[in-house]
Amino acid sequence: MTAHSARPDAVLSDLAAETLSAFPDAAGMQIGPEQGAFMTMLTRLAGARLAIEIGTFTGYSAICIARGLADGGQLTCCDISEKWTSVARTYWQRAGLADRIDLQLRPAIETLRALPEGAVFDLAFIDADKPGYVGYWDEVVPRIRPGGLILADNTLSSGRVADPAIPDERVPVRAFNDHALADERVDLVLLSIGDGLTLARKR
Ligand SMILES: C[S@@+](CC[C@H](N)C(=O)[O-])C[C@H]1O[C@@H](n2cnc3c(N)ncnc32)[C@H](O)[C@@H]1O
């Protein structure tokens, strides 16, 4: 998959390498290069101009989304880690995307609840704490324009979601998967890319 998908450029591959060397225990949270290429393509196909990301880490997925945005596009990023997002800021600068990205450093649910009443997005990417997913979904879906996209990462979580031997309380994303599937405001598909990516299109 990675060998025959668009190759990450030097900014993305340097960011992946720096993330691995600076934060070896956390680096696995970063999306993979094929998923990044897919997300840039989806953002372009959706004609997205306004996007929101919940869970930014060192900024890899934010670069992939921001690069796909239409002219004048803006990405709002939500995270709580100054340490991890300081690396993101460096690479957004290097990618020439710093003016397209607005980082909000506080719990994402607070950022979402504090959005102006009429704020609407074309695309959202949910990739933060798993127990928070249902709450993020409930805040995000009403703010996506009809035809817009919601992406949720780790909805297979390396197969643990599908492993009946692991109890539900250890796999909070199962409740999210049920919640999203039952939502009649969207059309939805769960893809086995990365650790699972749910792709929902607002009707
Ligand atoms: C899986 S990582 C995101 C990876 C990123 N999308 C990428 O591809 O590199 C999850 C991120 O969610 C952030 N996070 C955890 N709990 C959060 C919360 N309550 N609000 C906002 N961000 C949170 C963490 O600090 C971490 O950076």
Short mmCIF file of all heavy atoms in Angstrom, two decimals, residues 15 19 26-32 35 39 53-62 78-81 84-85 104 106-109 125-130 132-133 136 153-154, ligand 1:
data_model
loop_
_atom_site.label_atom_id
_atom_site.label_comp_id
_atom_site.label_asym_id
_atom_site.label_seq_id
_atom_site.Cartn_x
_atom_site.Cartn_y
_atom_site.Cartn_z
N LEU A 15 9.08 14.90 9.25
CA LEU A 15 8.21 14.99 10.43
C LEU A 15 8.01 13.60 11.06
O LEU A 15 8.09 13.44 12.28
CB LEU A 15 6.85 15.60 10.04
CG LEU A 15 5.75 15.56 11.10
CD1 LEU A 15 6.19 16.18 12.43
CD2 LEU A 15 4.50 16.26 10.59
N THR A 19 9.30 12.70 14.77
CA THR A 19 8.31 12.23 15.76
C THR A 19 8.79 10.92 16.37
O THR A 19 8.75 10.73 17.59
CB THR A 19 6.93 12.05 15.09
OG1 THR A 19 6.53 13.30 14.52
CG2 THR A 19 5.89 11.58 16.08
N ALA A 26 5.13 7.34 21.60
CA ALA A 26 3.85 7.90 21.14
C ALA A 26 3.74 7.93 19.62
O ALA A 26 2.66 8.16 19.08
CB ALA A 26 3.68 9.32 21.69
N ALA A 27 4.86 7.69 18.93
CA ALA A 27 4.88 7.90 17.47
C ALA A 27 3.86 7.06 16.72
O ALA A 27 3.41 7.46 15.64
CB ALA A 27 6.28 7.62 16.94
N GLY A 28 3.47 5.92 17.28
CA GLY A 28 2.48 5.06 16.63
C GLY A 28 1.12 5.73 16.48
O GLY A 28 0.26 5.24 15.74
N MET A 29 0.93 6.86 17.16
CA MET A 29 -0.37 7.56 17.05
C MET A 29 -0.50 8.28 15.71
O MET A 29 -1.61 8.65 15.31
CB MET A 29 -0.52 8.59 18.17
CG MET A 29 -0.60 7.98 19.55
SD MET A 29 -1.33 9.10 20.75
CE MET A 29 -0.16 10.43 20.81
N GLN A 30 0.63 8.50 15.07
CA GLN A 30 0.61 9.26 13.81
C GLN A 30 -0.05 8.42 12.71
O GLN A 30 0.18 7.21 12.63
CB GLN A 30 2.06 9.55 13.43
CG GLN A 30 2.25 10.53 12.32
CD GLN A 30 3.72 10.93 12.26
OE1 GLN A 30 4.58 10.10 11.97
NE2 GLN A 30 3.99 12.18 12.55
N ILE A 31 -0.82 9.06 11.85
CA ILE A 31 -1.38 8.31 10.72
C ILE A 31 -0.25 7.89 9.78
O ILE A 31 0.80 8.52 9.73
CB ILE A 31 -2.44 9.12 9.94
CG1 ILE A 31 -1.87 10.40 9.33
CG2 ILE A 31 -3.67 9.39 10.79
CD1 ILE A 31 -2.72 10.99 8.23
N GLY A 32 -0.49 6.84 9.00
CA GLY A 32 0.51 6.37 8.06
C GLY A 32 0.49 7.17 6.76
O GLY A 32 -0.47 7.90 6.49
N GLN A 35 -2.53 6.64 4.41
CA GLN A 35 -3.74 7.28 4.92
C GLN A 35 -3.66 8.80 4.71
O GLN A 35 -4.66 9.44 4.37
CB GLN A 35 -3.95 6.96 6.40
CG GLN A 35 -5.26 7.51 6.92
CD GLN A 35 -5.57 7.09 8.35
OE1 GLN A 35 -5.14 6.03 8.80
NE2 GLN A 35 -6.30 7.93 9.07
N MET A 39 -6.27 11.02 2.67
CA MET A 39 -6.99 12.14 3.27
C MET A 39 -6.81 13.44 2.47
O MET A 39 -7.73 14.25 2.37
CB MET A 39 -6.56 12.32 4.73
CG MET A 39 -7.16 11.22 5.60
SD MET A 39 -6.54 11.19 7.29
CE MET A 39 -6.80 12.87 7.78
N GLU A 53 -9.93 19.47 12.85
CA GLU A 53 -9.26 18.24 13.26
C GLU A 53 -9.28 18.15 14.78
O GLU A 53 -8.88 19.09 15.46
CB GLU A 53 -7.81 18.24 12.77
CG GLU A 53 -7.04 17.03 13.29
CD GLU A 53 -5.61 16.98 12.78
OE1 GLU A 53 -4.72 17.62 13.40
OE2 GLU A 53 -5.38 16.32 11.75
N ILE A 54 -9.67 16.99 15.28
CA ILE A 54 -9.72 16.75 16.73
C ILE A 54 -8.65 15.72 17.05
O ILE A 54 -8.83 14.53 16.75
CB ILE A 54 -11.14 16.29 17.12
CG1 ILE A 54 -12.13 17.39 16.75
CG2 ILE A 54 -11.21 15.96 18.60
CD1 ILE A 54 -13.54 16.90 16.57
N GLY A 55 -7.52 16.17 17.54
CA GLY A 55 -6.37 15.30 17.81
C GLY A 55 -5.29 15.53 16.76
O GLY A 55 -5.35 14.98 15.66
N THR A 56 -4.32 16.34 17.11
CA THR A 56 -3.34 16.82 16.11
C THR A 56 -1.95 16.21 16.29
O THR A 56 -1.23 16.00 15.31
CB THR A 56 -3.29 18.36 16.19
OG1 THR A 56 -4.54 18.85 15.70
CG2 THR A 56 -2.16 18.95 15.37
N PHE A 57 -1.55 15.93 17.55
CA PHE A 57 -0.24 15.34 17.84
C PHE A 57 0.86 16.21 17.22
O PHE A 57 0.91 17.41 17.46
CB PHE A 57 -0.23 13.88 17.35
CG PHE A 57 0.95 13.07 17.77
CD1 PHE A 57 1.50 13.17 19.03
CD2 PHE A 57 1.54 12.15 16.88
CE1 PHE A 57 2.60 12.39 19.41
CE2 PHE A 57 2.63 11.37 17.26
CZ PHE A 57 3.16 11.49 18.51
N THR A 58 1.74 15.64 16.39
CA THR A 58 2.83 16.45 15.83
C THR A 58 2.50 17.00 14.44
O THR A 58 3.40 17.47 13.72
CB THR A 58 4.15 15.64 15.80
OG1 THR A 58 3.94 14.45 15.03
CG2 THR A 58 4.62 15.27 17.20
N GLY A 59 1.24 16.92 14.04
CA GLY A 59 0.80 17.70 12.89
C GLY A 59 0.79 17.03 11.53
O GLY A 59 0.52 17.69 10.52
N TYR A 60 1.04 15.70 11.48
CA TYR A 60 1.12 15.04 10.17
C TYR A 60 -0.23 15.08 9.44
O TYR A 60 -0.31 15.53 8.28
CB TYR A 60 1.58 13.59 10.37
CG TYR A 60 1.97 12.85 9.11
CD1 TYR A 60 3.31 12.58 8.84
CD2 TYR A 60 1.03 12.40 8.19
CE1 TYR A 60 3.69 11.88 7.69
CE2 TYR A 60 1.39 11.71 7.04
CZ TYR A 60 2.72 11.45 6.80
OH TYR A 60 3.09 10.77 5.65
N SER A 61 -1.28 14.62 10.11
CA SER A 61 -2.60 14.59 9.43
C SER A 61 -3.07 16.00 9.11
O SER A 61 -3.74 16.23 8.09
CB SER A 61 -3.63 13.85 10.28
OG SER A 61 -3.68 14.38 11.59
N ALA A 62 -2.71 16.97 9.96
CA ALA A 62 -3.12 18.36 9.69
C ALA A 62 -2.50 18.84 8.38
O ALA A 62 -3.15 19.52 7.58
CB ALA A 62 -2.70 19.26 10.84
N CYS A 78 -7.51 20.89 17.11
CA CYS A 78 -7.78 20.81 18.55
C CYS A 78 -6.81 19.81 19.18
O CYS A 78 -6.75 18.66 18.75
CB CYS A 78 -9.19 20.30 18.81
SG CYS A 78 -10.49 21.18 17.94
N ASP A 79 -6.11 20.24 20.21
CA ASP A 79 -5.26 19.31 20.97
C ASP A 79 -5.04 19.91 22.36
O ASP A 79 -5.37 21.06 22.61
CB ASP A 79 -3.92 19.05 20.26
CG ASP A 79 -3.34 17.68 20.61
OD1 ASP A 79 -2.88 17.49 21.76
OD2 ASP A 79 -3.37 16.77 19.75
N ILE A 80 -4.45 19.08 23.25
CA ILE A 80 -4.18 19.57 24.61
C ILE A 80 -2.69 19.57 24.91
O ILE A 80 -2.29 19.99 25.97
CB ILE A 80 -4.91 18.70 25.67
CG1 ILE A 80 -4.72 17.21 25.37
CG2 ILE A 80 -6.38 19.08 25.77
CD1 ILE A 80 -5.29 16.28 26.43
N SER A 81 -1.86 19.09 23.98
CA SER A 81 -0.43 18.95 24.28
C SER A 81 0.40 20.05 23.62
O SER A 81 0.56 20.09 22.40
CB SER A 81 0.07 17.58 23.80
OG SER A 81 1.49 17.54 23.84
N TRP A 84 3.71 18.24 22.05
CA TRP A 84 3.58 17.60 20.74
C TRP A 84 3.25 18.62 19.65
O TRP A 84 3.79 18.54 18.54
CB TRP A 84 2.50 16.50 20.79
CG TRP A 84 2.93 15.29 21.58
CD1 TRP A 84 4.22 14.87 21.78
CD2 TRP A 84 2.10 14.36 22.28
NE1 TRP A 84 4.23 13.73 22.55
CE2 TRP A 84 2.95 13.39 22.86
CE3 TRP A 84 0.72 14.23 22.45
CZ2 TRP A 84 2.47 12.32 23.62
CZ3 TRP A 84 0.23 13.17 23.19
CH2 TRP A 84 1.10 12.22 23.76
N THR A 85 2.38 19.55 19.96
CA THR A 85 1.97 20.48 18.90
C THR A 85 3.03 21.53 18.61
O THR A 85 2.96 22.20 17.58
CB THR A 85 0.62 21.17 19.23
OG1 THR A 85 0.74 21.83 20.48
CG2 THR A 85 -0.52 20.17 19.25
N GLN A 104 -6.05 25.21 18.52
CA GLN A 104 -6.75 25.51 19.78
C GLN A 104 -6.27 24.52 20.83
O GLN A 104 -6.54 23.32 20.72
CB GLN A 104 -8.27 25.36 19.58
CG GLN A 104 -8.86 26.34 18.59
CD GLN A 104 -8.93 27.75 19.16
OE1 GLN A 104 -9.20 27.95 20.34
NE2 GLN A 104 -8.66 28.74 18.31
N ARG A 106 -6.75 23.22 24.13
CA ARG A 106 -7.58 22.93 25.31
C ARG A 106 -8.41 21.71 24.95
O ARG A 106 -8.44 21.30 23.78
CB ARG A 106 -8.46 24.11 25.69
CG ARG A 106 -9.38 24.57 24.59
CD ARG A 106 -10.12 25.83 24.98
NE ARG A 106 -10.53 26.53 23.80
CZ ARG A 106 -11.64 27.24 23.68
NH1 ARG A 106 -12.43 27.36 24.72
NH2 ARG A 106 -11.95 27.83 22.56
N PRO A 107 -9.10 21.10 25.92
CA PRO A 107 -9.87 19.91 25.57
C PRO A 107 -10.79 20.17 24.38
O PRO A 107 -11.49 21.19 24.33
CB PRO A 107 -10.66 19.63 26.86
CG PRO A 107 -9.80 20.18 27.94
CD PRO A 107 -9.15 21.41 27.35
N ALA A 108 -10.76 19.26 23.43
CA ALA A 108 -11.48 19.48 22.17
C ALA A 108 -12.97 19.71 22.38
O ALA A 108 -13.59 20.48 21.66
CB ALA A 108 -11.26 18.28 21.24
N ILE A 109 -13.55 19.06 23.38
CA ILE A 109 -15.00 19.24 23.59
C ILE A 109 -15.29 20.69 23.95
O ILE A 109 -16.33 21.24 23.56
CB ILE A 109 -15.54 18.23 24.65
CG1 ILE A 109 -17.04 18.07 24.52
CG2 ILE A 109 -15.13 18.59 26.05
CD1 ILE A 109 -17.52 17.30 23.34
N PHE A 125 -12.04 15.68 10.99
CA PHE A 125 -11.25 14.47 11.24
C PHE A 125 -11.17 14.28 12.75
O PHE A 125 -10.67 15.14 13.47
CB PHE A 125 -9.84 14.62 10.65
CG PHE A 125 -8.95 13.43 10.87
CD1 PHE A 125 -9.38 12.14 10.60
CD2 PHE A 125 -7.64 13.60 11.33
CE1 PHE A 125 -8.55 11.04 10.80
CE2 PHE A 125 -6.79 12.50 11.51
CZ PHE A 125 -7.25 11.23 11.25
N ILE A 126 -11.68 13.14 13.22
CA ILE A 126 -11.69 12.83 14.66
C ILE A 126 -10.59 11.80 14.93
O ILE A 126 -10.62 10.69 14.40
CB ILE A 126 -13.06 12.27 15.09
CG1 ILE A 126 -14.18 13.28 14.77
CG2 ILE A 126 -13.05 11.91 16.57
CD1 ILE A 126 -15.60 12.73 15.01
N ASP A 127 -9.61 12.19 15.76
CA ASP A 127 -8.47 11.29 16.02
C ASP A 127 -7.85 11.61 17.39
O ASP A 127 -6.64 11.77 17.51
CB ASP A 127 -7.41 11.45 14.91
CG ASP A 127 -6.31 10.41 15.00
OD1 ASP A 127 -6.50 9.38 15.68
OD2 ASP A 127 -5.23 10.63 14.40
N ALA A 128 -8.73 11.75 18.42
CA ALA A 128 -8.20 12.06 19.76
C ALA A 128 -8.53 10.91 20.71
O ALA A 128 -8.55 9.75 20.29
CB ALA A 128 -8.78 13.39 20.22
N ASP A 129 -8.77 11.22 21.98
CA ASP A 129 -9.08 10.20 22.99
C ASP A 129 -10.35 9.43 22.60
O ASP A 129 -11.39 10.02 22.33
CB ASP A 129 -9.24 10.87 24.36
CG ASP A 129 -10.25 12.02 24.31
OD1 ASP A 129 -10.12 12.88 23.43
OD2 ASP A 129 -11.20 11.99 25.10
N LYS A 130 -10.25 8.11 22.61
CA LYS A 130 -11.36 7.28 22.12
C LYS A 130 -12.64 7.44 22.96
O LYS A 130 -13.74 7.50 22.37
CB LYS A 130 -10.97 5.79 22.02
CG LYS A 130 -9.71 5.53 21.19
CD LYS A 130 -9.73 6.23 19.85
CE LYS A 130 -8.37 6.22 19.19
NZ LYS A 130 -7.90 7.49 18.70
N GLY A 132 -13.83 9.92 24.09
CA GLY A 132 -14.46 11.18 23.73
C GLY A 132 -15.17 11.16 22.38
O GLY A 132 -15.87 12.12 22.03
N TYR A 133 -15.01 10.08 21.61
CA TYR A 133 -15.49 10.08 20.21
C TYR A 133 -16.99 10.37 20.07
O TYR A 133 -17.39 11.10 19.17
CB TYR A 133 -15.17 8.74 19.54
CG TYR A 133 -13.85 8.66 18.82
CD1 TYR A 133 -12.72 9.32 19.31
CD2 TYR A 133 -13.71 7.92 17.65
CE1 TYR A 133 -11.50 9.22 18.66
CE2 TYR A 133 -12.49 7.83 16.99
CZ TYR A 133 -11.40 8.47 17.49
OH TYR A 133 -10.20 8.38 16.84
N TYR A 136 -17.60 13.98 20.52
CA TYR A 136 -17.10 14.76 19.37
C TYR A 136 -18.06 14.63 18.19
O TYR A 136 -18.38 15.60 17.52
CB TYR A 136 -15.69 14.31 18.97
CG TYR A 136 -14.66 14.41 20.07
CD1 TYR A 136 -13.63 13.49 20.20
CD2 TYR A 136 -14.71 15.46 20.99
CE1 TYR A 136 -12.70 13.58 21.21
CE2 TYR A 136 -13.79 15.55 22.02
CZ TYR A 136 -12.78 14.61 22.12
OH TYR A 136 -11.86 14.72 23.13
N ASP A 153 -10.76 8.17 12.98
CA ASP A 153 -9.63 7.24 12.89
C ASP A 153 -9.69 6.15 13.97
O ASP A 153 -10.34 6.32 14.99
CB ASP A 153 -8.33 8.03 13.03
CG ASP A 153 -7.16 7.28 12.41
OD1 ASP A 153 -7.40 6.40 11.57
OD2 ASP A 153 -6.01 7.57 12.77
N ASN A 154 -9.00 5.07 13.70
CA ASN A 154 -8.80 3.97 14.67
C ASN A 154 -10.10 3.24 15.00
O ASN A 154 -10.25 2.72 16.11
CB ASN A 154 -8.17 4.49 15.97
CG ASN A 154 -6.91 5.27 15.72
OD1 ASN A 154 -6.88 6.47 15.99
ND2 ASN A 154 -5.90 4.64 15.18
C1 LIG B 1 -3.78 9.77 17.83
S1 LIG B 1 -3.09 11.32 18.27
C2 LIG B 1 -3.41 12.31 16.86
C3 LIG B 1 -2.54 11.94 15.69
C4 LIG B 1 -2.56 12.93 14.56
N1 LIG B 1 -3.89 13.06 13.98
C5 LIG B 1 -1.55 12.52 13.50
O1 LIG B 1 -1.92 11.92 12.51
O2 LIG B 1 -0.36 12.73 13.71
C6 LIG B 1 -4.21 11.86 19.49
C7 LIG B 1 -4.04 13.29 19.95
O3 LIG B 1 -5.20 13.64 20.69
C8 LIG B 1 -4.83 14.53 21.69
N2 LIG B 1 -5.86 14.51 22.73
C9 LIG B 1 -6.08 13.59 23.70
N3 LIG B 1 -7.12 13.93 24.46
C10 LIG B 1 -7.58 15.11 23.96
C11 LIG B 1 -8.65 15.97 24.31
N4 LIG B 1 -9.44 15.70 25.34
N5 LIG B 1 -8.82 17.09 23.58
C12 LIG B 1 -8.01 17.37 22.53
N6 LIG B 1 -7.00 16.59 22.15
C13 LIG B 1 -6.78 15.47 22.86
C14 LIG B 1 -3.47 14.03 22.17
O4 LIG B 1 -2.76 15.08 22.82
C15 LIG B 1 -2.86 13.56 20.87
O5 LIG B 1 -2.03 14.55 20.32
#
